[in-house]
Coordinates of all heavy atoms in Angstrom, one line a residue:
Chain B
A135 N -37.2 44.7 -10.9 CA -37.6 46.1 -10.5 C -39.0 46.4 -10.9 O -39.8 47.0 -10.1 CB -36.6 47.1 -10.9
P136 N -39.4 46.2 -12.2 CA -40.7 46.5 -12.6 C -41.8 45.8 -11.7 O -42.8 46.4 -11.3 CB -40.8 46.0 -14.0 CG -39.4 46.0 -14.5 CD -38.6 45.8 -13.3
M137 N -41.5 44.6 -11.3 CA -42.5 43.9 -10.4 C -42.5 44.4 -9.0 O -43.5 44.6 -8.5 CB -42.2 42.4 -10.5 CG -42.6 41.7 -11.7 SD -42.1 40.0 -11.8 CE -43.0 39.3 -10.4
R138 N -41.3 44.5 -8.4 CA -41.2 44.9 -7.0 C -41.4 46.4 -6.8 O -41.8 46.7 -5.7 CB -39.9 44.4 -6.4 CG -39.6 43.0 -6.6 CD -40.2 42.1 -5.5 NE -40.3 40.8 -6.0 CZ -40.8 39.8 -5.2 NH1 -41.4 40.0 -4.1 NH2 -40.8 38.5 -5.7
V139 N -40.9 47.2 -7.7 CA -41.0 48.6 -7.5 C -42.3 49.2 -8.1 O -43.0 50.0 -7.4 CB -39.8 49.3 -8.0 CG1 -39.9 50.8 -7.9 CG2 -38.5 48.8 -7.4
R140 N -42.6 48.8 -9.3 CA -43.7 49.4 -10.0 C -45.0 48.6 -9.8 O -46.1 49.0 -10.2 CB -43.4 49.5 -11.5 CG -42.3 50.4 -11.8 CD -42.9 51.6 -12.7 NE -41.8 52.3 -13.3 CZ -41.3 53.4 -12.8 NH1 -41.7 53.8 -11.6 NH2 -40.3 54.1 -13.4
G141 N -44.9 47.3 -9.3 CA -46.1 46.5 -9.2 C -46.6 45.9 -10.5 O -47.8 45.6 -10.5
V142 N -45.7 45.9 -11.5 CA -46.2 45.3 -12.7 C -46.4 43.8 -12.6 O -45.7 43.1 -11.8 CB -45.1 45.5 -13.8 CG1 -45.4 44.7 -15.1 CG2 -44.9 47.0 -14.1
R143 N -47.5 43.3 -13.2 CA -47.7 41.8 -13.0 C -46.7 41.0 -13.7 O -46.1 41.4 -14.7 CB -49.1 41.5 -13.6 CG -50.2 42.0 -12.6 CD -51.4 41.0 -12.6 NE -52.6 41.7 -12.7 CZ -53.3 41.8 -13.9 NH1 -52.8 41.2 -14.9 NH2 -54.4 42.5 -14.0
E144 N -46.6 39.8 -13.2 CA -45.5 38.9 -13.7 C -45.5 38.7 -15.2 O -44.5 38.8 -15.9 CB -45.5 37.6 -13.0 CG -44.2 36.8 -13.4 CD -44.1 35.5 -12.6 OE1 -44.9 35.3 -11.6 OE2 -43.3 34.7 -13.0
A145 N -46.7 38.4 -15.7 CA -46.8 38.1 -17.1 C -46.4 39.3 -18.0 O -45.6 39.1 -19.0 CB -48.3 37.7 -17.5
E146 N -46.8 40.4 -17.5 CA -46.5 41.6 -18.3 C -45.0 41.9 -18.2 O -44.3 42.3 -19.2 CB -47.3 42.8 -17.6 CG -47.5 44.0 -18.5 CD -48.2 45.1 -17.8 OE1 -49.2 44.7 -17.0 OE2 -47.9 46.2 -17.9
A147 N -44.4 41.8 -17.0 CA -43.0 42.0 -16.8 C -42.2 41.1 -17.7 O -41.2 41.4 -18.3 CB -42.6 41.9 -15.3
R148 N -42.6 39.8 -17.7 CA -41.9 38.8 -18.5 C -41.9 39.2 -20.0 O -40.9 39.1 -20.7 CB -42.6 37.4 -18.3 CG -41.9 36.3 -19.1 CD -42.5 35.0 -18.7 NE -42.3 34.7 -17.3 CZ -41.2 34.0 -16.9 NH1 -40.3 33.6 -17.8 NH2 -41.1 33.8 -15.6
E149 N -43.1 39.6 -20.4 CA -43.2 39.9 -21.8 C -42.3 41.1 -22.2 O -41.6 41.0 -23.2 CB -44.7 40.3 -22.1 CG -45.1 40.3 -23.6 CD -46.5 40.7 -23.7 OE1 -47.4 40.4 -22.9 OE2 -46.8 41.4 -24.7
M150 N -42.3 42.1 -21.3 CA -41.4 43.2 -21.6 C -40.0 42.8 -21.6 O -39.2 43.2 -22.4 CB -41.7 44.3 -20.6 CG -40.9 45.6 -20.8 SD -41.5 47.0 -19.8 CE -41.1 46.4 -18.2
A151 N -39.6 42.0 -20.6 CA -38.2 41.6 -20.4 C -37.8 40.7 -21.6 O -36.7 40.9 -22.2 CB -38.1 40.8 -19.1
E152 N -38.7 39.9 -22.1 CA -38.3 39.1 -23.3 C -38.1 40.0 -24.5 O -37.2 39.8 -25.2 CB -39.4 38.0 -23.5 CG -39.4 36.8 -22.6 CD -40.5 35.9 -22.8 OE1 -41.5 36.2 -23.6 OE2 -40.6 34.9 -22.1
S153 N -39.0 40.9 -24.6 CA -38.9 41.8 -25.8 C -37.6 42.7 -25.7 O -37.0 42.9 -26.7 CB -40.2 42.6 -25.9 OG -40.0 43.9 -26.0
L154 N -37.3 43.1 -24.5 CA -36.1 43.9 -24.4 C -34.8 43.1 -24.6 O -33.9 43.5 -25.3 CB -36.0 44.5 -22.9 CG -36.7 45.8 -22.7 CD1 -36.8 46.1 -21.2 CD2 -36.1 47.0 -23.4
L155 N -34.8 41.9 -24.1 CA -33.7 41.0 -24.4 C -33.5 40.7 -25.9 O -32.4 40.6 -26.4 CB -33.8 39.7 -23.5 CG -33.3 39.8 -22.1 CD1 -33.5 38.5 -21.4 CD2 -31.8 40.3 -22.0
D156 N -34.7 40.5 -26.5 CA -34.7 40.3 -27.9 C -34.0 41.4 -28.6 O -33.2 41.3 -29.5 CB -36.1 40.1 -28.4 CG -36.2 39.7 -29.9 OD1 -35.3 39.1 -30.3 OD2 -37.2 40.1 -30.5
R157 N -34.4 42.6 -28.2 CA -33.9 43.8 -28.9 C -32.4 44.1 -28.6 O -31.8 44.9 -29.4 CB -34.8 45.0 -28.6 CG -36.1 44.7 -29.4 CD -37.1 45.6 -29.0 NE -38.4 44.9 -29.4 CZ -39.3 45.4 -30.0 NH1 -39.3 46.7 -30.4 NH2 -40.4 44.7 -30.3
V158 N -31.9 43.6 -27.5 CA -30.4 43.8 -27.4 C -29.7 42.6 -27.8 O -28.5 42.4 -27.6 CB -30.1 44.2 -25.9 CG1 -30.7 45.5 -25.4 CG2 -30.5 43.0 -24.9
G159 N -30.4 41.7 -28.6 CA -29.8 40.6 -29.3 C -29.5 39.4 -28.3 O -28.6 38.6 -28.6
L160 N -30.3 39.3 -27.3 CA -30.0 38.2 -26.3 C -31.2 37.3 -26.2 O -31.4 36.8 -25.1 CB -29.5 38.7 -25.0 CG -28.2 39.4 -25.0 CD1 -27.9 40.1 -23.7 CD2 -27.1 38.4 -25.3
A161 N -32.0 37.2 -27.2 CA -33.2 36.4 -27.1 C -32.9 34.9 -26.7 O -33.7 34.2 -26.1 CB -34.0 36.4 -28.5
A162 N -31.7 34.5 -27.0 CA -31.3 33.1 -26.7 C -30.8 32.9 -25.3 O -30.5 31.8 -24.9 CB -30.3 32.6 -27.7
K163 N -30.7 34.0 -24.6 CA -30.1 34.0 -23.2 C -31.0 34.3 -22.1 O -30.6 34.7 -21.0 CB -28.9 34.9 -23.2 CG -27.8 34.7 -24.3 CD -27.0 33.4 -23.9 CE -25.8 33.2 -24.8 NZ -25.1 32.0 -24.5
L164 N -32.3 34.1 -22.3 CA -33.3 34.5 -21.3 C -33.0 33.9 -20.0 O -33.1 34.6 -18.9 CB -34.7 34.1 -21.8 CG -35.2 34.6 -23.1 CD1 -36.7 34.1 -23.3 CD2 -35.2 36.1 -23.2
D165 N -32.7 32.6 -20.0 CA -32.6 31.9 -18.7 C -31.1 31.7 -18.3 O -30.8 31.0 -17.3 CB -33.2 30.5 -18.8 CG -34.7 30.7 -19.0 OD1 -35.3 31.6 -18.4 OD2 -35.3 30.0 -19.9
A166 N -30.2 32.5 -18.9 CA -28.8 32.4 -18.5 C -28.5 33.2 -17.3 O -29.1 34.3 -17.1 CB -27.9 32.9 -19.7
Y167 N -27.7 32.7 -16.4 CA -27.2 33.5 -15.3 C -26.1 34.4 -15.7 O -25.4 34.1 -16.7 CB -26.8 32.6 -14.1 CG -28.0 32.0 -13.4 CD1 -28.4 30.7 -13.7 CD2 -28.6 32.6 -12.4 CE1 -29.5 30.1 -13.0 CE2 -29.7 32.1 -11.7 CZ -30.1 30.8 -12.0 OH -31.1 30.3 -11.4
P168 N -25.9 35.6 -15.0 CA -24.8 36.4 -15.5 C -23.5 35.8 -15.6 O -22.7 36.1 -16.5 CB -24.8 37.5 -14.3 CG -26.2 37.5 -13.8 CD -26.7 36.1 -14.0
S169 N -23.2 34.8 -14.7 CA -21.9 34.2 -14.8 C -21.8 33.3 -16.1 O -20.7 32.9 -16.5 CB -21.7 33.2 -13.6 OG -22.7 32.2 -13.6
Q170 N -22.9 33.1 -16.8 CA -22.8 32.3 -18.0 C -22.7 33.2 -19.2 O -22.8 32.8 -20.4 CB -24.0 31.4 -18.1 CG -24.1 30.4 -17.0 CD -25.4 29.7 -16.8 OE1 -26.5 30.4 -17.0 NE2 -25.5 28.5 -16.5
L171 N -22.7 34.5 -19.0 CA -22.7 35.5 -20.1 C -21.3 36.2 -20.2 O -20.6 36.4 -19.2 CB -23.8 36.5 -19.9 CG -25.2 36.0 -19.8 CD1 -26.1 37.2 -19.4 CD2 -25.6 35.5 -21.2
S172 N -21.0 36.6 -21.4 CA -19.8 37.4 -21.6 C -20.0 38.8 -21.1 O -21.1 39.2 -20.8 CB -19.4 37.4 -23.1 OG -20.3 38.3 -23.7
G173 N -18.9 39.5 -20.9 CA -19.0 40.9 -20.4 C -20.0 41.7 -21.3 O -20.8 42.5 -20.8
G174 N -19.8 41.6 -22.6 CA -20.6 42.4 -23.5 C -22.1 42.0 -23.3 O -23.0 42.9 -23.4
Q175 N -22.3 40.7 -23.2 CA -23.7 40.3 -23.0 C -24.3 40.8 -21.7 O -25.4 41.2 -21.6 CB -23.8 38.8 -23.1 CG -23.5 38.2 -24.5 CD -23.3 36.7 -24.5 OE1 -22.9 36.1 -23.5 NE2 -23.7 36.1 -25.6
Q176 N -23.5 40.7 -20.7 CA -23.9 41.2 -19.4 C -24.3 42.7 -19.4 O -25.3 43.1 -18.9 CB -22.9 41.0 -18.3 CG -22.7 39.5 -17.9 CD -21.7 39.4 -16.7 OE1 -22.0 40.0 -15.6 NE2 -20.7 38.7 -16.9
Q177 N -23.5 43.4 -20.1 CA -23.7 44.9 -20.1 C -25.0 45.2 -20.9 O -25.8 46.0 -20.6 CB -22.5 45.6 -20.7 CG -22.5 47.1 -20.5 CD -22.6 47.5 -19.0 OE1 -23.5 47.2 -18.3 NE2 -21.5 48.2 -18.6
R178 N -25.3 44.3 -21.9 CA -26.5 44.5 -22.7 C -27.7 44.2 -21.8 O -28.8 44.8 -21.9 CB -26.5 43.7 -24.0 CG -25.6 44.4 -25.1 CD -25.6 43.6 -26.4 NE -24.8 42.4 -26.3 CZ -25.0 41.4 -27.1 NH1 -26.0 41.4 -28.0 NH2 -24.2 40.4 -27.0
V179 N -27.6 43.1 -21.0 CA -28.7 42.8 -20.1 C -28.9 44.0 -19.1 O -30.0 44.4 -18.8 CB -28.4 41.5 -19.3 CG1 -29.4 41.3 -18.2 CG2 -28.3 40.3 -20.2
A180 N -27.8 44.5 -18.6 CA -27.8 45.6 -17.7 C -28.6 46.8 -18.3 O -29.3 47.5 -17.6 CB -26.5 46.0 -17.2
I181 N -28.3 47.1 -19.6 CA -29.0 48.2 -20.3 C -30.5 47.9 -20.3 O -31.4 48.7 -20.0 CB -28.4 48.4 -21.7 CG1 -27.0 48.9 -21.6 CG2 -29.3 49.4 -22.5 CD1 -26.2 49.0 -22.9
A182 N -30.8 46.6 -20.7 CA -32.2 46.2 -20.8 C -32.9 46.3 -19.4 O -34.1 46.8 -19.3 CB -32.3 44.8 -21.3
R183 N -32.2 46.0 -18.4 CA -32.7 46.0 -17.0 C -33.1 47.5 -16.7 O -34.1 47.7 -16.1 CB -31.7 45.5 -16.0 CG -32.1 45.6 -14.6 CD -31.1 44.9 -13.6 NE -29.9 45.7 -13.5 CZ -28.9 45.5 -12.7 NH1 -29.0 44.4 -11.9 NH2 -27.8 46.2 -12.6
A184 N -32.2 48.4 -17.0 CA -32.5 49.8 -16.7 C -33.6 50.3 -17.5 O -34.5 51.0 -17.0 CB -31.2 50.7 -16.9
L185 N -33.7 49.9 -18.8 CA -34.8 50.4 -19.7 C -36.1 49.9 -19.2 O -37.2 50.5 -19.4 CB -34.5 49.9 -21.1 CG -33.4 50.7 -21.8 CD1 -33.2 50.0 -23.2 CD2 -33.8 52.1 -22.0
A186 N -36.2 48.7 -18.5 CA -37.4 48.1 -18.1 C -38.2 49.0 -17.2 O -39.4 48.8 -17.0 CB -37.2 46.7 -17.5
M187 N -37.5 49.9 -16.5 CA -38.2 50.8 -15.6 C -38.8 52.0 -16.3 O -39.3 53.0 -15.7 CB -37.2 51.3 -14.5 CG -36.9 50.2 -13.5 SD -38.4 49.5 -12.6 CE -38.6 50.9 -11.5
K188 N -38.7 52.0 -17.7 CA -39.1 53.1 -18.5 C -38.6 54.5 -18.0 O -39.4 55.4 -17.7 CB -40.7 53.1 -18.5 CG -41.2 51.8 -18.9 CD -42.7 51.9 -19.1 CE -43.2 50.5 -19.4 NZ -44.6 50.4 -19.8
P189 N -37.3 54.6 -17.9 CA -36.7 55.8 -17.3 C -36.8 57.0 -18.3 O -36.9 56.9 -19.5 CB -35.2 55.4 -17.2 CG -35.0 54.4 -18.2 CD -36.3 53.7 -18.4
A190 N -36.8 58.2 -17.7 CA -36.9 59.4 -18.5 C -35.5 59.8 -18.9 O -35.3 60.6 -19.8 CB -37.5 60.6 -17.6
L191 N -34.5 59.2 -18.2 CA -33.1 59.5 -18.4 C -32.3 58.3 -18.2 O -32.5 57.5 -17.3 CB -32.7 60.6 -17.4 CG -31.2 61.0 -17.2 CD1 -30.7 61.7 -18.4 CD2 -31.1 61.8 -15.9

Side-chain angles (χ1 to χ4, degrees):
Chain B
M137 283 173 64
R138 303 277 163 182
V139 176
R140 293 242 195 267
V142 174
R143 283 218 230 101
E144 185 176 350
E146 201 182 320
R148 177 176 297 271
E149 197 181 323
M150 181 167 65
E152 281 174 356
S153 129
L154 275 167
L155 278 177
D156 183 32
R157 289 170 203 226
V158 296
L160 293 171
K163 300 287 186 183
L164 302 183
D165 297 318
Y167 284 97
S169 61
Q170 297 163 326
L171 298 172
S172 73
Q175 291 171 331
Q176 287 188 57
Q177 196 59 299
R178 284 184 281 157
V179 174
I181 294 172
R183 177 176 72 173
L185 285 174
M187 289 299 283
K188 309 188 182 187
L191 165 72

